Amino acid sequence: MAVRLPRPHRFDVYVAVAGLLGGLLLWGIGLGVRPADEPMVLFGGRWPLLAPLAVTAGCELLRRAAPRTGLLIGTGALVLDTMTQGSLVTVLMYTDLMYAAVLYGPPASARRIPWITGLLTVAATVVPFAVWRVPEALLIGVAVGIVSFAPASTGLIVRSHREAAEAARLRAEQTALLAEMDRVQAVTAERSRMARELHDMVANHLSAIAIHSTAALSLDDPATTRQALGVIRENSVEGLAEMRRLIGILRDTGGDTGPAAAPTLDGLGALVDGARANGLDVTLEAAHGEGLPAPVELAAYRIVQESLTNALKHASDGPVRVTLARHDHVLRVEVTSPYGDRDAPRAPGSGAGLVGMRERAALLHGSFEAGAERAADGKIWTVRATLPLTEGD
């Protein structure tokens, strides 16, 4: 099987071609080479130095695709170059191979190469000076440091800066993603809150309108019809006023006009009176005291309102009891109504009311339950909610 060579980067091709042409130019005019009478020159003449020049230029093609392989082969070419009269371009291309091996190589190599080249620089400085005892021997260590340690250290510094910049970019992307997720969650929560408010505001009035309009159509009694039409008109006007209040809140842009105040438990009396006007036999027992948090008051009011709406739509004839009691830093809300086994409800419903009440209790870290129970006077439908009055209860 043929070995597939890595495809070189376009910039690496330009570097290799430029290095090869520059080396040939210096070779042609006889610059950048050592004298032939130096002790290290084993292969004198001009032609032998072209081999390491060509090999090093070929290694430049691997500076990104296979940096460690390019550095290994380039090291052999540099050793061969020291045995000839040498070329300055070959040395320069080798420093680029060292730099690229640290910059583009694996993280392990990027950490080890500067240490290895640093030790080689120290050894090349100490050993020749200890052997020959002449100051000129220190130049060997300087040359080794310039050729190996300096480009390796530069590559490590550049790599560290690039990694830091990439980490900062990833953190910025993660921050932007978290911000977008928070925005979507905030929009979803606000839409849910608006849906609950809209449902709780108009469901009671529309249910009363539906029930009394059904009575007006089914009974051929002018007095009953007139009374039903009066109730219908009253609920439609109140429902329209509630709708306008909600629309006003949504349209408010933060000017001088503030949003209308949210309902509180002080309005339970009017709420119960409205339920009685719609035909329910309601009894209210409120012992909630004063100084309740506004979110708790709103949630309790809406739970009672929705419970009365469900009683108006689904309950059998009989008493409806609303009880509010404050015990051990919690507010307990209970609404009971007669439960009738009927094939269909008296008004259409989608079950959104129970979902809304459960969500209101959950937002305050409270509990909610609703269901049919056995009682002494028959089967009843009970709604219970426990709302903490302090954070964390």
Side-chain angles (χ1 to χ4, degrees), residues 10 18 25 44 47 55 86 93 123 148 162 179-180 183 187 202-203 225 243 268 312 329 339 377:
R10 179 179 298 179
L25 177 62
W47 294 101
V55 173
M93 286 193 293
S148 61
R162 288 188 178 183
E180 179 65 17
R183 187 191 68 82
V187 171
V202 302
T225 301
M243 285 286 293
L268 285 181
L312 180 64
H329 304 291
Y339 182 83
D377 53 351

Side-chain angles (χ1 to χ4, degrees), residues 157-171:
I157 293 173
V158 174
R159 183 182 182 119
S160 299
H161 282 289
R162 288 188 178 183
E163 290 177 350
E166 180 66 15
R169 185 187 65 82
L170 292 177
R171 286 195 299 269

Side-chain angles (χ1 to χ4, degrees), residues 58-278:
C59 291
E60 288 282 22
L61 299 174
L62 305 177
R63 63 191 302 273
R64 297 194 194 194
R68 290 187 299 180
T69 303
L71 177 62
L72 182 62
I73 300 175
T75 302
L78 181 65
V79 173
L80 179 61
D81 182 73
T82 59
M83 298 179 185
T84 66
Q85 290 185 249
S87 173
L88 180 61
V89 177
T90 301
V91 177
L92 291 177
M93 286 193 293
Y94 180 79
T95 59
D96 181 66
L97 292 176
M98 182 68 70
Y99 169 82
V102 176
L103 182 60
Y104 302 115
S109 299
R111 292 190 300 267
R112 293 171 184 169
I113 291 176
W115 283 98
I116 295 174
T117 56
L119 293 176
L120 289 176
T121 302
V122 172
T125 304
V126 174
V127 173
F129 181 78
V131 173
W132 292 318
R133 297 289 181 173
V134 292
E136 289 78 4
L138 298 175
L139 297 178
I140 299 177
V142 174
V144 173
I146 294 175
V147 174
S148 61
F149 180 69
S153 301
T154 305
L156 182 61
I157 293 173
V158 174
R159 183 182 182 119
S160 299
H161 282 289
R162 288 188 178 183
E163 290 177 350
E166 180 66 15
R169 185 187 65 82
L170 292 177
R171 286 195 299 269
E173 290 181 354
Q174 292 176 354
T175 302
L177 180 60
L178 291 176
E180 179 65 17
M181 292 175 62
D182 290 341
R183 187 191 68 82
V184 172
Q185 291 177 357
V187 171
T188 303
E190 182 64 16
R191 292 179 63 181
S192 300
R193 187 189 68 83
M194 291 167 54
R196 287 193 301 269
E197 290 294 325
L198 180 61
H199 178 274
D200 293 342
M201 282 181 177
V202 302
N204 183 51
H205 301 298
L206 293 181
S207 298
I209 291 173
I211 293 173
H212 286 84
S213 62
T214 301
L217 292 174
S218 60
L219 298 177
D220 190 12
D221 184 2
T224 303
T225 301
R226 185 177 183 84
Q227 181 181 2
L229 291 177
V231 175
I232 290 173
R233 183 185 182 281
E234 180 181 353
N235 280 276
S236 62
V237 170
E238 292 180 359
L240 185 59
E242 293 279 1
M243 285 286 293
R244 286 173 175 170
R245 186 178 75 86
L246 179 60
I247 293 174
I249 294 175
L250 297 178
R251 285 181 175 176
D252 181 39
T253 58
D256 297 334
T257 303
T264 64
L265 295 181
D266 293 336
L268 285 181
L271 182 64
V272 170
D273 291 338
R276 290 169 181 163
N278 290 329

